[in-house]
Amino acid sequence: MSAAAPLLDIRGLRIDLPTGAGSATAVHRVDLALAAGEAAALVGESGSGKSLTARSVLRLLPPGAEVHGELRFAGESVPGMSRTRLREFRAGEVAMVFQDPRAHINPARSVGDFLVEGLTAARGVPVREARRRVEAVLQEVGIPDAERRMRQRPGELSGGLLQRVMIAAALAAEPKLLLADEPTTALDVTTQEEVMAIVTEAREARGLAMLFITHDLELAAAVCDRVVVMYAGSTVEELPSGALHHGAAHPYTRALLASRPSVGDTASGLRAIAGRPLSGFEVPAGCSFAPRCPRARDACRTDTPLLRAAGTGTSACHYPHITEEAEQRA
Amino acid sequence: MTASFLATRLTMLVVTVLVASLGIYGAFMLAPGDPATLLVGGARKPDPAVLDRIRAEYHLDDPFFAGWWHWFSGCLHGDFGRSLVYRDSVGHLIGERAGDTFALVAYAAVLVLVLGTAIGTVAALRGGRTEALLTAATSGVMAVPTFIMSVLLIWVFAVELPWFPVYGSGTGFGGTLSHLTLPAVALAVSWVGYVAQVTRTSVRTELRGEHVETARSRGVPESVVIRRHVLRNASGPIFAVSGVGIAGLIATTAVAEQAFGIGGLGALMIDAALKQDLAVVQAVSLLFVVLFVAVNTVVDLVSAALDPRTAQGGSR
Amino acid sequence: MSTAPAPVLPSAGRTPPVRRRRLDTATLAAAAVVGVFVLLALFGPLLAPHDPNAVDPLGVNAGSSAGHLLGTDDTGRDILSRILCGARASMAAPALVVLVSTAAGTALALCAAWFGGWTDRLVSGALDVVFGFPGLIMAVLAAAVFGPGLAAPVIALSIAYLPLVTRVVRAAALKERSLPYVSALGLLGASTPRIWLRHLLPNLAPLILVQATIGFGYALLDVAAVSFIGLGSQPPAPEWGLMVSNGAPGILTGQPQQSLYAGLMIVVLVIAVNLLGSGLSRRLPGGAA
């Protein structure tokens, strides 16, 4: 990891969402740092708070949400930005690719309107110049007949094509950080691979940092430099992608790995994690994973563990699972 | 929008008008007693020679469809027959009064569109207490029909605050505007409430839309987000409901004209109905039905064009 | 968190249960107001302190007093008595409109949904035409043909209101018809009339009731408007729409009481009916309508 100040620095992030009566904590504690050009994956089940964490980087939270802790981009506090600065920040420094392009692109306006808007309305780029730039990016993401596509409505494009349009829109803004919120979940398998290849290529060509949100550990490790695992609103483990299979120290990460089907491993079968995943709203005292953890002891039910070095990465566990290989390296 | 959609709606328009004209003409055959006596109007007993002349003039002894076709084709050519009560051609009677009705309905339609969408948008965007207040007010106003609103306005503006003239239709543009303000408000008010409520729901739904989140995530200024993404996408249902409202104004203009003493088509129809002058009632009600159906058709076509989700594969 | 209510799935051969939810306070209050109006329609004449048609040439256009709580009208008749006695006349005609259009509309809807094909196309096409004919214009036309009085407008409005009931009931009946329990009943040998009366109608009843409630609000306004323009109830009937119109000249001379009180009765009743209708529709299986 570079010694310079990280591009994105999240420390002790907590997010409270308004409910019918008062508020409830959806994200409890997220610690995460991302250097320029680096890619990290935020992995977790639905309800673990990974999407909310990504949205908080752009301050795209539901009205009434409260953010505590530190969230800095290139040293600047994001919650402290003025409205004008926030708009500038969204328009040119961080871009987001959403999960469902069908819903996230206005169906009533043309694809061209959508692509150009990020430059014209948000940054004041002249329309002709914006069109020129957008067409170039469309070529880059593998849409050759840009001019025709831009005249069409989103309804006339396939899901995979539409997700490329969304990626092109994000790239056209020339951001420093790309937030990708499960960009391939809504697509079929072959399209998924194509889209991920496009993202990786474009990222490497531009030295773009990425926070990749997914529930798929294998995909996360394949695409990113580091993997950050979230459970019930907290980051529970962080480790280099290469060490995922052998160096995972947190029982939750290990359970996730064990519950994934993999080719050539048919004999052992799948092991489901006992119990039900918790959302950030229903976290008990102590470690949030304790009720489902086979290794839980008394301390786990009373004291909340914090991230600390364990094996090759960091882990929020009182009794991390340290393999010999990892121990030797440490 | 596709050509077949256009063709279907236009066919429906023609069929509805044809069947409605049969109903209007047929109603007159249902009348108790001799239709010729009805055409003379009133309760006087006219002499047989006059009745025979009327029978011949109105083709009353022809078979039903021949009689209908004679009347309907006449109407298509602008020949609506003669009124024996007003002693004038029906076409002339209508021509004299159409202007006031058109001005009143157009004025009320502007109110419905402008006020309805503005109130609904403000309620949805402001939220909180403003929204609750506006929703309660529009719900209340929706239950006040034109005739009661007319009476209330006359009370407030004739007795308490003499700001607007209360009767007649005025001359010149300014005079017409000030004379028609109260009737137009009375006519429009419950539709303003309705359009405001639909606008509010529609805008709220769009505000929660994912594509709005995308636009915000890209730093698009909020005013542009509201205009291009929220209002633009909500415009389909808003326009559809406003159109139903404008068609509704045509159906109830008679009440406002009667209440404020405006000599328009609606007042003519009521007056003719009271005098049982069927030639006039038939012609005016056919005219109203044609306008009502035509407005509804135009609204359907425009809202399909506004909302590509209902007519997929279209271009602007 | 995410416990969306599962749809109630009917088991074959049995009538699916109707989901029950408690009515909210506003709906209950609206129901209470409607109840009071119904009582007025039934017993209004018994409560009236005066003969509603007794004129008093010496006490015209009087304000509120102990003898006349709401004052008197332009011929010295007691306004309170006229409003109380008018409840029946004002509510009976719209009730009749709703009764006729609901009964006929339900029958048409069931036929269209059950027999499908040409029957359905004919019914739906005819209703589209009727829908293109505004109720008020139909009422004026009927009054012109049959002469002033409530009979002609009531018939005309009954026809004009057919689409309101039929469209909704037809759609629901089509859905109901496709449910497995209906074909199971057919296989068990139940006759068509039996299926209609014992299963289809009871299941559609809540929806029909909601449509009838909404229709009553519209009908009340339309009947009152027809009376207001002089083609409905005829003087000296104490009907509210007619009273609003009778009182109109008095407004200019500073005696608005007759118009205002009669108008207030109509508005309060319509608001209560609308609230009741939307409250009931929220309780229908399938949620808000």
Side-chain angles (χ1 to χ4, degrees):
Chain A
M1 232 175 288
S2 67
L7 183 67
L8 178 68
D9 192 6
I10 302 178
R11 276 185 218 171
L13 176 74
R14 194 180 99 215
I15 302 173
D16 294 341
L17 294 183
T19 58
S23 71
T25 303
V27 170
H28 289 264
R29 184 174 185 94
V30 170
D31 296 291
L32 178 73
L34 194 63
E38 193 190 16
L42 202 52
V43 185
E45 291 162 298
S46 38
S48 60
K50 55 188 193 307
S51 265
L52 219 49
T53 302
R55 279 170 162 73
S56 70
V57 175
L58 276 173
R59 271 170 59 182
L60 272 182
L61 296 173
E66 277 180 53
V67 176
H68 307 268
E70 258 183 73
L71 207 162
R72 290 181 178 279
F73 184 85
E76 184 183 6
S77 164
V78 175
M81 286 178 183
S82 69
R83 287 173 81 94
T84 342
R85 172 70 192 123
L86 177 67
R87 218 167 54 221
E88 214 176 84
F89 171 68
R90 287 172 171 180
E93 282 157 70
V94 178
M96 186 145 180
V97 174
F98 293 92
Q99 179 176 345
D100 182 3
R102 193 72 68 207
H104 272 98
I105 297 179
N106 190 344
R109 309 180 68 231
S110 73
V111 170
D113 283 348
F114 169 74
L115 284 163
V116 162
E117 184 174 47
L119 295 174
T120 53
R123 297 241 294 262
V125 176
V127 180
R128 191 174 296 181
E129 165 69 8
R131 287 189 77 88
R132 198 189 54 73
R133 280 200 229 170
V134 161
E135 273 171 33
V137 183
L138 280 179
Q139 303 279 353
E140 194 185 336
V141 300
I143 301 181
D145 43 355
E147 215 170 309
R148 181 169 73 94
R149 294 302 184 193
M150 283 170 70
R151 276 198 309 271
Q152 287 180 309
R153 301 261 172 189
E156 299 168 66
L157 269 59
S158 70
L161 217 46
L162 218 49
Q163 191 58 291
R164 290 180 201 213
V165 167
M166 174 97 84
I167 292 165
L171 294 177
E174 291 164 346
K176 298 188 186 96
L177 170 65
L178 189 65
L179 301 169
D181 186 4
E182 308 216 24
T184 59
T185 312
L187 309 175
D188 62 67
V189 183
T190 42
T191 323
Q192 282 184 11
E193 284 169 12
E194 284 169 25
V195 166
M196 278 328 298
I198 289 165
V199 170
T200 308
E201 233 171 80
R203 205 176 69 68
E204 279 164 3
R206 290 151 193 261
L208 187 60
M210 173 168 78
L211 188 61
F212 180 64
I213 319 298
T214 181
H215 58 262
D216 186 338
L217 264 179
E218 300 291 336
L219 181 63
V223 178
C224 297
D225 309 318
R226 283 186 300 128
V227 172
V228 180
V229 180
M230 277 188 82
Y231 182 75
S234 299
T235 40
V236 294
E237 175 148 36
E238 182 190 323
L239 72 174
S241 295
L244 180 66
H245 284 277
H246 304 290
H250 197 282
Y252 175 63
T253 315
R254 298 185 65 83
L256 271 186
L257 285 165
S259 69
R260 255 193 70 87
S262 64
V263 187
D265 183 24
T266 47
S268 62
L270 292 181
R271 260 183 294 154
I273 309 178
R276 176 179 67 88
L278 294 186
S279 78
F281 295 118
E282 35 187 14
V283 165
C287 172
S288 52
F289 190 59
R292 303 168 75 190
C293 182
R295 298 161 66 91
R297 298 181 215 171
D298 286 348
C300 301
R301 287 179 257 276
T302 48
D303 302 335
T304 310
L306 296 178
L307 278 179
R308 57 199 161 93
T312 45
T314 55
S315 173
C317 181
H318 293 307
Y319 308 104
H321 198 287
I322 313 287
T323 58
E324 284 163 29
E325 182 196 347
E327 212 155 16
Q328 279 162 14
R329 249 193 262 171
Chain B
M1 123 199 29
T2 54
S4 74
F5 181 67
L6 190 79
T8 315
R9 293 300 288 123
L10 289 180
T11 316
M12 264 181 70
L13 171 89
V14 172
V15 170
T16 307
V17 168
L18 279 178
V19 177
S21 75
L22 276 169
I24 290 169
Y25 184 77
F28 162 75
M29 295 292 159
L30 288 175
D34 181 0
T37 322
L38 277 172
L39 279 173
V40 178
R44 289 169 292 120
K45 196 90 194 125
D47 71 291
V50 174
L51 288 182
D52 282 344
R53 216 183 62 226
I54 290 167
R55 264 196 204 96
E57 194 181 327
Y58 283 85
H59 300 254
L60 292 179
D61 296 325
D62 291 8
F64 176 78
F65 280 102
W68 163 75
W69 179 246
H70 176 80
W71 172 72
F72 185 64
S73 59
C75 289
L76 291 180
H77 292 105
D79 170 18
F80 296 93
R82 276 192 71 78
S83 161
L84 296 165
V85 175
Y86 295 89
R87 301 187 180 286
D88 197 350
S89 88
V90 179
H92 182 240
L93 287 169
I94 289 175
E96 269 184 336
R97 289 160 173 81
D100 282 349
T101 296
F102 179 77
L104 176 60
V105 170
Y107 194 168
V110 170
L111 291 180
V112 168
L113 271 174
V114 175
L115 289 182
T117 52
I119 292 172
T121 309
V122 168
L125 294 183
R126 281 286 179 84
R129 207 171 289 173
T130 315
E131 183 175 11
L133 197 79
L134 287 176
T135 307
T138 47
S139 308
V141 129
M142 273 168 68
V144 183
T146 300
F147 69 96
I148 293 178
M149 190 48 82
S150 306
V151 165
L152 280 177
L153 291 176
I154 292 173
W155 178 46
V156 173
F157 291 101
V159 182
E160 308 295 325
L161 310 162
W163 290 349
F164 291 98
V166 165
Y167 286 107
S169 49
T171 51
F173 183 74
T176 307
L177 206 65
S178 74
H179 272 86
L180 290 185
T181 296
L182 294 183
V185 169
L187 190 54
V189 94
S190 65
W191 286 108
V192 169
Y194 188 46
V195 169
Q197 296 217 335
V198 172
T199 304
R200 179 186 135 257
T201 336
S202 190
V203 169
R204 291 223 84 175
T205 313
E206 290 301 333
L207 269 176
R208 281 195 302 265
E210 283 101 335
H211 68 268
V212 172
E213 188 184 31
T214 313
R216 285 193 182 136
S217 82
R218 302 166 85 191
V220 175
E222 193 61 17
S223 61
V224 179
V225 173
I226 299 290
R227 205 171 59 239
R228 284 198 204 153
H229 296 283
V230 175
L231 292 182
R232 167 70 185 77
N233 286 45
S235 64
I238 293 172
F239 189 83
V241 168
S242 307
V244 171
I246 292 166
L249 298 177
I250 296 170
T252 38
T253 177
V255 177
E257 289 174 21
Q258 173 92 346
F260 287 93
I262 297 165
L265 290 177
L268 173 68
M269 183 173 70
I270 293 170
D271 192 49
L274 283 167
K275 292 173 177 156
Q276 292 200 280
D277 181 348
L278 281 175
V280 173
V281 175
Q282 281 178 324
V284 179
S285 52
L286 181 66
L287 208 61
F288 276 136
V289 170
V290 169
L291 284 173
F292 186 79
V293 179
V295 168
N296 273 325
T297 307
V298 170
V299 166
D300 275 5
L301 296 177
V302 174
S303 37
L306 276 175
D307 197 341
R309 283 165 294 190
T310 54
Q312 270 297 344
S315 58
R316 265 194 254 209
Chain C
M1 266 298 286
S2 60
T3 47
V8 182
L9 291 175
S11 51
R14 283 188 55 197
T15 298
V18 174
R19 190 171 42 170
R20 300 232 167 252
R21 265 186 246 160
R22 290 190 60 188
L23 291 172
D24 53 309
T25 328
T27 311
L28 287 175
V33 172
V34 173
V36 169
F37 273 86
V38 170
L39 288 178
L40 280 186
L42 294 174
F43 305 112
L46 299 178
L47 299 171
H50 297 273
D51 176 350
N53 290 324
V55 297
D56 176 7
L58 298 177
V60 298
N61 287 329
S64 295
S65 65
H68 301 285
L69 279 178
L70 301 182
T72 60
D73 70 5
D74 52 326
T75 52
R77 296 175 295 193
D78 180 49
I79 293 176
L80 177 64
S81 303
R82 289 182 67 73
I83 281 185
L84 291 175
C85 293
R88 189 178 296 173
S90 309
M91 290 167 70
L96 197 62
V97 168
V98 167
L99 201 70
V100 173
S101 65
T102 305
T106 304
L108 279 175
L110 288 183
C111 286
W114 194 264
F115 299 114
W118 272 107
T119 319
D120 191 14
R121 251 170 283 169
L122 193 72
V123 169
S124 302
L127 289 176
D128 282 342
V129 173
V130 171
F131 195 69
F133 217 128
L136 205 61
I137 304 229
M138 217 189 268
V140 171
L141 184 68
V145 171
F146 297 101
L150 276 177
V154 164
I155 295 169
L157 290 175
S158 300
I159 298 171
Y161 281 33
L162 275 179
L164 182 77
V165 183
T166 315
R167 282 184 173 174
V168 176
V169 176
R170 175 184 162 274
L174 270 179
K175 208 185 275 174
E176 198 76 16
R177 212 210 130 151
S178 67
L179 292 180
Y181 86 94
V182 176
S183 44
L185 283 170
L187 287 174
L188 288 170
S191 64
T192 302
R194 192 184 153 82
I195 297 176
W196 280 27
L197 290 177
R198 297 290 297 273
H199 299 277
L200 224 49
L201 271 181
N203 281 347
L204 296 174
L207 178 72
I208 296 172
L209 182 72
V210 166
Q211 286 305 107
T213 309
I214 295 167
F216 181 77
Y218 291 137
L220 188 83
L221 292 181
D222 275 351
V223 170
V226 171
S227 293
F228 174 83
I229 57 180
L231 292 168
S233 294
Q234 296 299 308
E239 199 263 359
W240 297 335
L242 187 59
M243 287 176 72
V244 173
S245 130
N246 272 345
I251 291 173
L252 292 176
T253 53
Q255 278 96 24
Q257 60 269 36
Q258 185 184 184
S259 287
L260 292 188
Y261 292 133
L264 190 68
M265 293 300 275
I266 296 173
V267 170
V268 169
L269 180 55
V270 168
I271 290 179
V273 167
N274 288 350
L275 280 176
L276 181 63
S278 63
L280 289 176
S281 77
R282 276 197 299 276
R283 216 182 68 145
L284 285 178

